[in-house]
Amino acid sequence: MKKTIWKKVIDLGVFALVLVLGFLYLNKVFGFQDNTHSRAAFKQFYEMPENVADVAWIGSSAVQEYIIPMQMYEEYGVTLLPLALGSMPFDATELLIKEVEKTQDPSLYLVDLRDLAFEPLADPGIRRVTDNMKLSKNRFDLIDKLTNDWQAFHPVGNLDRFDYYFSFMKYHSRWQDLQKTDFTDDENCFMGYWISTGTESFDKKQIMSYFDTEEKPIPEENVVFLNEFLDFCDGFGKKVVFTCTPNCLDEEYFAQFNFAKRIIRERGYEVWDMNDHVDEIGLDYATDFRGKLHVNTLGAEKVTHYVAQQLVEKYNLKDHRGEEKCRVYERYAELYHRKRNEAYLSLETDLDKYLDYLLELSDGTTIYMTTFGPQGAYLTDAHIEKLRKLGLVQAGGLKGEDYHSYLAIVSDGEVLHETIGVDNADSTYATYIGNTKVSMSSASWKGRYGCSIRLGVSERSLGENGINIVVVDKESGEVLDSVAFDTADPAVSCTRSGNN
Amino acid sequence: MTITSLSFFLFLIGAVTVYYIAPSKFQWVRLLLLSLIFYGLAAKPVTFLYVLISTGMAWCVTNGMESGRKKKDGAKNLQTWKFIMVLTIVIDVFLWFFLKGREFITSSLWGLNQLFPSIRVIELPPVAVAMGMGYYTLQIISYTIDCYWENAKPQRNFLKLLLFCSFFPQMITGPISRYDQLSSLYEEHRIKYVNLAHGTQRILWGMFKKIVVAERCGIIVNAVWADFTLYGGIYTWIALLLYPLQLYSDFSGCCDIVIGVAELFDIKLVENFKNPFFSQTSQEFWQRWHITLGTWAKDYVLYPVLKSTRLQKLNKKLKNRFGKKAAKFITTAIGMAVLWLVLGIWHGAFRHIIGVSLWYWIILMLEDFLKPRTEKLNAKFGFKTDSFGWKFFRAVRTYLTYSLGIVFFRAKDVAQGFSFLREVGRTFTPSRWNPWILFDDSILKLGISYKDINVIVISVLALIAVAAFREKHGYARNWIDTQPVLFRRTLYVALLLAVVLLGAYGPGYSASAFIYGQF
């Protein structure tokens, strides 16, 4: 009898354990997810080795989309740890500093003041922070604080903190929207930073005219939160510097920034307004912003370089390059550079620069090339040289007015196949690369059956005039780019699907 | 606190622990305290006064009758107590009318106002109502009458009787138990694995029906009903045919949870549903749907009416005039009319009497009248009445009959009910005929995705499979218990996952109350 009872108890215990583990896994899969990579940003923060960061930067997307920590490390050996998420409520700053202090010991904290000019958002502002934090007392304290603060200033809205404690209650219905990043690591987030390639132009003169505009009060609740935080800083014992990253917002926001800056300075704290240093940073208002609120990757690289330089000069930070515990920065740097090149590869319209990207990405990719019609009238020696660097020794034969068919495959930097047609002959080639069936053809004379790069059952080339290039990630099989450069056109125009 | 909320399940865990952890003597006292705590958390505590009044009256009357019987002039005494008993029942009914029946009074006046404009509609101010008033009132009336009929022994302990009335799982949607069916409330119970397992499984099944199936069907039904001018034609047919499924999943799901909760305490409640959509006739349907209300109405309304002196006399007269069959039919019709009137009133709205009660009274009497004639016709034409096809046809016909009547349960008033039925009828006119909505993604305008539709379809298949199994072999869980442990566990984990992932709960959902919780 006793044995039966014990057997039952053990049986139930095992079952309960399986259920709990299953639930924990589900809780992880069905977590917060949006296009700002906040889940990955927190995950990567928690995975950082202990006591590696000299600087921590807390803020909203005004930090997250501006700072590339890996670049800082590569250029100056600065170990900066961002903990920044889109629309992060300012009143979360204090407890997030506590979260950082659990595993890091930075000597300097940077705190961005951008979101003081905005009305706080309940969801998703709170959720981006609390739903992604590890289970701890600090998390529950943060939920209580943020929901209480919200309720104090928004009595009509009703936030049930229970929903924030158990975020699964909200996200269980995400079964309809699950994606790859719910099950695997987010490959597009690098120490909180994510690549953005969009561009929007702004009138630099006009934006700069807003910098010294007369103050306008920030929202009442943010005044309270700012003063509370300044009270915290008074007793904190570490250096805290407030920042304002470059942006193209309307005049009223700069007026509010000026209001906030004054309060902070009156309390004896330093404010580093980078808007006043845009020329030093080298920001181009025509190409470096992706909207009023954020720079794109080109802009972020410039801001990162500037910030790193300033941090080293002002605060005499140690150069950590080569240290064992900073390997994490090197690992993310490698991943970031690859993804960055892939992102800009698919935007590049200049053949010369495109070939530079191909050279950078040759390891880990398979590059397919085929030609159609008159090819080489405007191929330059520089183009040919770069093609040769890829290993394509016969590419020189394409230069000029003659018609040639041409097929080439370069995989992991190694030329697997290269054919140039003789006397107007067309070329075809078929093979298997890994598990992928490859069929290629190239017509020397326009009007024949055209050119083709077929991978599996899918046609991947554009079949346009000139050189058609398809770039495939070797590991995943994902097509990174399919492009055509018309080398018979004086401008060597570029075509991608969707912009014919 | 609803019985699908996390707070209820936390309460339940605590309740089961408290129930079993202490010595089993006076367990019923702990159960009563738990019921009072539940009441305090789920309803306005002051309204428990009504429960106390009804219970107090029943306790006094039944014990008075018992001691009256034992006295010398027992018969005379009993007459007095019978009068008092009737008075207490009248007070119970009055209380119900005063509190729950307000809407009935207002909607009845409104309905009559449509027919006779001179009748004024009086809006009665709202009052706080006792939780489960419709259910415990019928329970206490059945107890009182059973004691009078000597079918049950009066409970001497007032608190035990209070527990019978207020046993917390039943307070939401019943079932309506008889006194002898709940005698186990006062016994001692030891913790048994099988009760905990079966109870939990039953709760899980109920949750699946309510928050996975019913809530999803509700999205479509509510969208169509919110604007069936815009969503006319085939949309109305979709809502018409989906509403019974929603209602069944909601109500029977709640009953499953209630029965499962009671099972955790080793209390067996009666079943309230038995695969109603497998019914071949409407009569059979009402023997399978809300069984406890049906049997209550049969035992305490229909049979007393049929056995009443007046109706017996009428039966005799009619027999002499029209023959035995006709007399039986007419007297049954009268008895059934009273039964359906009472059921309509119990549901608390005028539209229930006009729509649901009247409709089913007509259907049931028609069925009764046509039964011998249709049997002859079937035999004459050689229909294979034993075949699956024939039974399927009859089940579909019964379902459709139910769907049409239950429109008035869904409608906010009689006029809207008829308006909806008119739209249903107009579907086959050129201006409303719109079958393309089934193919061109129009259905997604109702606020539902194809994934949700797939969930409904798969869930319905699961419900049918379980129901078919029960029809032939009894409860599926008994068969599952005989299977290897890995199979059992996988099945229940799959059910748990379905509830946890697919259920309509949490922020972003306004979880609708149980439809039958309003009674």
Side-chain angles (χ1 to χ4, degrees):
Chain A
M1 176 72 167
K2 252 189 184 173
K3 210 176 168 182
T4 319
I5 294 170
W6 274 114
K7 197 180 163 202
K8 211 62 174 188
V9 168
I10 292 165
D11 177 33
L12 282 173
V14 168
F15 182 59
L17 183 66
V18 167
L19 276 183
V20 166
L21 290 173
F23 178 75
L24 288 173
Y25 176 71
L26 280 180
N27 202 40
K28 187 184 148 194
V29 169
F30 283 81
F32 182 92
Q33 193 70 277
D34 70 1
N35 60 359
T36 65
H37 307 267
S38 49
R39 190 158 129 176
F42 254 102
K43 185 171 179 285
Q44 289 163 4
F45 159 70
Y46 285 120
E47 286 170 352
M48 290 292 286
E50 285 193 10
N51 299 321
V52 71
D54 284 341
V55 186
W57 200 344
I58 315 283
S60 63
S61 55
V63 175
Q64 187 188 18
E65 294 192 44
Y66 282 73
I67 281 305
I68 308 169
M70 306 74 64
Q71 179 188 328
M72 274 194 177
Y73 173 79
E74 279 186 315
E75 290 177 356
Y76 289 94
V78 170
T79 51
L80 182 140
L81 181 65
L83 190 55
L85 307 157
S87 308
M88 196 202 80
F90 190 84
D91 50 337
T93 311
E94 181 186 329
L95 288 174
L96 284 178
I97 287 177
K98 280 195 179 153
E99 195 72 6
V100 171
E101 289 284 307
K102 282 182 187 175
T103 54
Q104 305 295 327
D105 186 25
S107 55
L108 171 68
Y109 276 90
L110 303 176
V111 174
D112 196 79
L113 58 81
R114 170 94 66 90
D115 272 57
L116 286 171
F118 292 87
E119 288 273 347
L121 298 174
D123 277 22
I126 296 177
R127 287 201 175 272
R128 279 195 186 121
V129 179
T130 61
D131 287 354
N132 292 313
M133 281 175 77
K134 268 188 183 171
L135 211 61
S136 66
K137 186 180 176 299
N138 201 33
R139 177 175 180 264
F140 289 112
D141 288 344
L142 186 58
I143 290 170
D144 291 345
K145 180 174 177 17
L146 294 179
T147 50
N148 282 341
D149 285 347
W150 174 263
Q151 291 291 174
F153 291 96
H154 304 89
V156 174
N158 186 29
L159 294 185
D160 186 350
R161 70 188 64 184
F162 194 79
D163 294 334
Y164 291 88
Y165 289 158
F166 300 104
S167 56
F168 187 79
M169 300 282 286
K170 183 173 170 82
Y171 299 120
H172 67 91
S173 57
R174 282 195 61 236
W175 63 274
Q176 301 200 54
D177 310 310
L178 290 178
Q179 293 169 35
K180 184 181 171 189
T181 47
D182 292 306
F183 296 92
T184 62
D185 286 335
D186 187 340
E187 293 167 351
N188 295 305
C189 184
F190 313 94
M191 300 188 79
Y193 181 74
W194 49 280
I195 295 165
S196 63
T197 56
T199 308
E200 189 177 339
S201 298
F202 293 93
D203 183 343
K204 182 179 176 182
K205 252 191 182 158
Q206 187 182 28
I207 301 296
M208 286 182 82
S209 72
Y210 300 154
F211 290 176
D212 295 320
T213 199
E214 200 182 315
E215 284 180 16
K216 180 187 165 189
I218 59 178
E220 184 201 338
E221 59 210 279
N222 288 341
V223 176
V224 172
F225 300 152
L226 176 58
N227 280 306
E228 279 176 4
F229 180 66
L230 289 168
D231 293 339
F232 162 77
C233 292
D234 288 344
F236 181 34
K238 288 192 177 181
K239 187 156 182 71
V240 178
V241 172
F242 290 81
T243 62
C244 186
T245 52
N247 60 84
C248 301
L249 285 164
D250 298 335
E251 189 175 0
E252 63 168 305
Y253 290 99
F254 284 96
Q256 290 180 87
F257 296 149
N258 289 337
F259 179 90
K261 278 163 26 181
R262 178 180 56 75
I263 293 178
I264 295 165
R265 284 174 176 145
E266 279 175 357
R267 289 287 297 262
Y269 290 91
E270 187 186 336
V271 178
W272 186 5
D273 189 349
M274 295 176 210
N275 288 287
D276 295 331
H277 302 276
V278 289
D279 289 328
E280 274 179 72
I281 296 169
L283 279 174
D284 183 341
Y285 279 69
T287 60
D288 292 347
F289 285 87
R290 73 170 184 88
K292 285 183 178 181
L293 287 160
H294 307 111
V295 291
N296 54 29
T297 296
L298 295 175
E301 285 171 346
K302 292 175 183 172
V303 171
T304 300
H305 176 78
Y306 169 77
V307 169
Q309 196 178 51
Q310 294 297 305
L311 286 175
V312 166
E313 281 175 17
K314 279 186 181 178
Y315 303 107
N316 203 25
L317 296 176
K318 190 184 168 192
D319 183 344
H320 290 280
R321 281 177 288 195
E323 288 179 23
E324 185 59 38
K325 67 176 179 179
C326 299
R327 289 257 182 265
V328 61
Y329 285 89
E330 290 168 15
R331 181 166 58 86
Y332 276 114
E334 195 183 322
L335 293 169
Y336 165 72
H337 285 306
R338 181 155 194 93
K339 275 288 173 186
R340 188 221 183 269
N341 287 336
E342 285 175 9
Y344 279 96
L345 174 84
S346 59
L347 294 174
E348 190 53 65
T349 56
D350 180 277
L351 178 57
D352 197 51
K353 290 179 183 167
Y354 195 85
L355 291 172
D356 286 332
Y357 279 119
L358 287 185
L359 284 165
E360 292 272 344
L361 290 168
S362 58
D363 281 337
T365 58
T366 305
I367 302 165
Y368 300 89
M369 280 191 200
T370 177
T371 59
F372 178 45
Q375 317 95 349
Y378 292 93
L379 263 179
T380 64
D381 289 338
H383 296 149
I384 300 298
E385 187 51 38
K386 285 175 182 171
L387 286 167
R388 284 208 173 106
K389 277 186 180 169
L390 271 174
L392 301 172
V393 297
Q394 297 186 63
L398 290 174
K399 198 167 182 288
E401 300 271 347
D402 292 341
Y403 303 114
H404 295 285
S405 62
Y406 180 78
L407 300 172
I409 305 174
V410 180
S411 185
D412 249 347
E414 189 189 326
V415 176
L416 297 185
H417 179 79
E418 191 183 16
T419 313
I420 187 163
V422 175
D423 296 331
N424 293 334
D426 299 330
S427 301
T428 59
Y429 180 67
T431 186
Y432 270 89
I433 295 180
N435 295 323
T436 307
K437 185 178 173 187
V438 178
S439 315
M440 297 172 72
S441 65
S442 170
S444 66
W445 183 258
K446 192 176 169 182
R448 287 202 197 156
Y449 52 81
C451 72
S452 165
I453 300 171
R454 192 175 279 271
L455 305 178
V457 296
S458 304
E459 176 58 56
R460 296 297 186 187
S461 86
L462 296 178
E464 294 285 336
N465 264 357
I467 303 178
N468 289 255
I469 304 174
V470 174
V471 184
V472 176
D473 183 284
K474 205 160 172 274
E475 200 183 312
S476 65
E478 186 194 339
V479 174
L480 300 175
D481 195 25
S482 176
V483 68
F485 290 96
D486 189 351
T487 48
D489 175 8
V492 189
S493 57
C494 171
T495 308
R496 281 195 171 83
S497 61
N499 66 354
N500 288 349
Chain B
M1 180 168 68
T2 65
I3 61 170
T4 52
S5 64
L6 193 58
S7 43
F8 174 74
F9 288 112
L10 292 171
F11 164 81
L12 192 59
I13 292 168
V16 170
T17 310
V18 161
Y19 186 69
Y20 287 114
I21 210 160
S24 47
K25 206 175 178 189
F26 300 120
Q27 250 173 346
W28 68 270
V29 177
R30 289 200 286 280
L31 205 52
L32 176 62
L33 286 169
L34 289 167
S35 298
L36 294 175
I37 293 169
F38 175 79
Y39 195 98
L41 292 170
K44 278 202 168 109
V46 69
T47 59
F48 195 74
L49 197 62
Y50 301 120
V51 183
L52 282 171
I53 291 170
S54 292
T55 311
M57 285 192 306
W59 182 78
C60 288
V61 157
T62 52
N63 284 284
M65 275 194 297
E66 180 75 355
S67 23
R69 261 189 252 273
K70 289 175 184 166
K71 285 191 177 150
K72 261 191 199 168
D73 51 346
K76 193 180 170 195
N77 245 312
L78 194 61
Q79 280 298 100
T80 313
W81 279 110
K82 181 183 173 183
F83 173 76
I84 297 172
M85 177 195 78
V86 170
L87 191 63
T88 60
I89 292 172
V90 166
I91 293 172
D92 280 328
V93 171
F94 172 76
L95 266 176
W96 181 88
F97 257 106
F98 176 71
L99 297 168
K100 289 267 347 166
R102 285 165 166 252
E103 200 222 313
F104 174 76
I105 295 168
T106 309
S107 67
S108 303
L109 288 173
W110 191 90
L112 288 169
N113 175 262
Q114 301 296 300
L115 297 168
F116 308 106
S118 56
I119 295 175
R120 274 182 61 212
V121 180
I122 307 164
E123 284 281 349
L124 297 169
V127 290
V129 181
M131 183 171 62
M133 194 166 198
Y135 301 101
Y136 80 72
T137 303
L138 295 187
Q139 266 190 210
I140 205 70
I141 290 174
S142 78
Y143 162 75
T144 310
I145 296 173
D146 278 344
C147 287
Y148 173 70
W149 285 341
E150 293 185 272
N151 291 339
K153 252 183 104 52
Q155 176 54 253
R156 288 211 169 278
N157 187 322
F158 171 75
L159 291 178
K160 281 186 176 179
L161 187 63
L162 186 63
L163 176 59
F164 165 69
C165 258
S166 62
F167 178 44
F168 75 91
Q170 294 185 129
M171 293 298 271
I172 314 280
T173 60
I176 301 161
S177 301
R178 307 294 174 88
Y179 181 66
D180 58 342
Q181 290 168 338
L182 284 187
S183 55
S184 62
L185 278 175
Y186 317 118
E187 293 164 6
E188 288 173 12
H189 303 275
R190 296 206 164 199
I191 189 163
K192 282 180 210 156
Y193 171 76
V194 65
N195 289 335
L196 296 179
H198 281 180
T200 311
Q201 289 157 12
R202 194 79 189 250
I203 291 169
L204 205 54
W205 184 240
M207 295 280 288
F208 174 76
K209 281 179 177 174
K210 164 65 178 168
I211 67 173
V212 176
V213 184
E215 292 291 330
R216 256 180 193 79
C217 292
I219 294 171
I220 299 173
V221 170
N222 293 342
V224 173
W225 272 90
D227 190 353
F228 52 86
T229 305
L230 177 65
Y231 296 119
I234 300 282
Y235 286 115
T236 56
W237 274 89
I238 293 172
L240 178 81
L241 296 175
L242 213 50
Y243 183 61
L245 176 64
Q246 179 196 353
L247 189 59
Y248 169 73
S249 305
D250 188 289
F251 192 11
S252 72
C254 180
C255 289
D256 285 329
I257 296 172
V258 164
I259 291 169
V261 168
E263 207 161 350
L264 295 176
F265 297 95
D266 196 19
I267 311 287
K268 301 279 182 280
L269 294 178
V270 274
E271 295 290 344
N272 228 356
F273 290 89
K274 197 188 172 210
N275 304 332
F277 297 136
F278 282 19
S279 306
Q280 305 283 294
T281 62
S282 291
Q283 187 184 27
E284 188 186 352
F285 182 88
W286 290 106
Q287 290 165 353
R288 291 171 176 254
W289 178 283
H290 205 173
I291 298 168
T292 56
L293 179 65
T295 50
W296 188 97
K298 194 177 63 180
D299 292 344
Y300 301 105
V301 175
L302 181 64
Y303 288 160
V305 166
L306 289 177
K307 285 178 187 167
S308 65
T309 320
R310 278 226 171 106
L311 217 59
Q312 292 289 318
K313 278 182 185 166
L314 177 65
N315 188 38
K316 232 181 189 170
K317 271 188 194 163
L318 291 168
K319 212 193 299 188
N320 293 335
R321 186 115 187 242
F322 300 109
K324 194 177 172 187
K325 272 186 185 166
K328 190 185 173 203
F329 179 81
I330 293 168
T331 49
T332 305
I334 294 170
M336 290 289 271
V338 174
L339 178 143
W340 279 103
L341 183 66
V342 166
L343 289 179
I345 294 171
W346 181 83
H347 282 90
F350 186 69
R351 66 184 189 278
H352 286 127
I353 296 178
I354 297 298
V356 184
S357 296
L358 186 62
W359 170 254
Y360 284 110
W361 180 71
I362 292 169
I363 291 292
L364 288 167
M365 295 330 301
L366 254 178
E367 249 180 30
D368 194 29
F369 179 75
L370 291 172
K371 189 177 171 186
R373 291 152 187 84
T374 51
E375 275 171 1
K376 271 186 191 160
L377 263 172
N378 294 340
K380 186 177 178 184
F381 287 108
F383 292 139
K384 294 179 185 167
T385 54
D386 274 340
S387 65
F388 171 77
W390 181 256
K391 289 177 184 172
F392 181 76
F393 155 72
R394 296 216 309 166
V396 167
R397 183 194 61 191
T398 308
Y399 187 91
L400 195 58
T401 310
Y402 179 67
S403 307
L404 291 168
I406 214 70
V407 159
F408 292 92
F409 195 79
R410 178 62 182 77
K412 65 175 169 57
D413 51 43
V414 173
Q416 194 191 41
F418 278 118
S419 191
F420 185 84
L421 287 174
R422 236 189 333 269
E423 253 328 297
V424 167
R426 282 176 64 201
T427 299
F428 305 100
T429 59
S431 61
R432 294 312 250 171
W433 178 238
N434 56 354
W436 54 85
I437 64 149
L438 299 171
F439 307 101
D440 68 353
D441 294 351
S442 292
I443 216 103
L444 303 180
K445 290 182 205 160
L446 300 174
I448 199 153
S449 67
Y450 280 122
K451 287 176 187 169
D452 284 318
I453 293 172
N454 289 341
V455 168
I456 292 174
V457 169
I458 294 169
S459 303
V460 166
L461 290 173
L463 290 178
I464 292 173
V466 169
F469 191 95
R470 186 177 165 194
E471 197 75 359
K472 276 206 142 40
H473 306 289
Y475 288 108
R477 71 177 183 193
N478 293 336
W479 173 79
I480 294 170
D481 281 350
T482 62
Q483 303 307 305
V485 64
L486 200 59
F487 177 83
R488 293 198 321 259
R489 295 276 157 88
T490 307
L491 206 60
Y492 286 121
V493 165
L495 184 60
L496 177 65
L497 275 175
V499 170
V500 161
L501 296 180
L502 307 178
Y505 65 91
Y509 289 101
S510 54
S512 56
F514 285 103
I515 296 171
Y516 265 76
Q518 60 186 302
F519 306 115

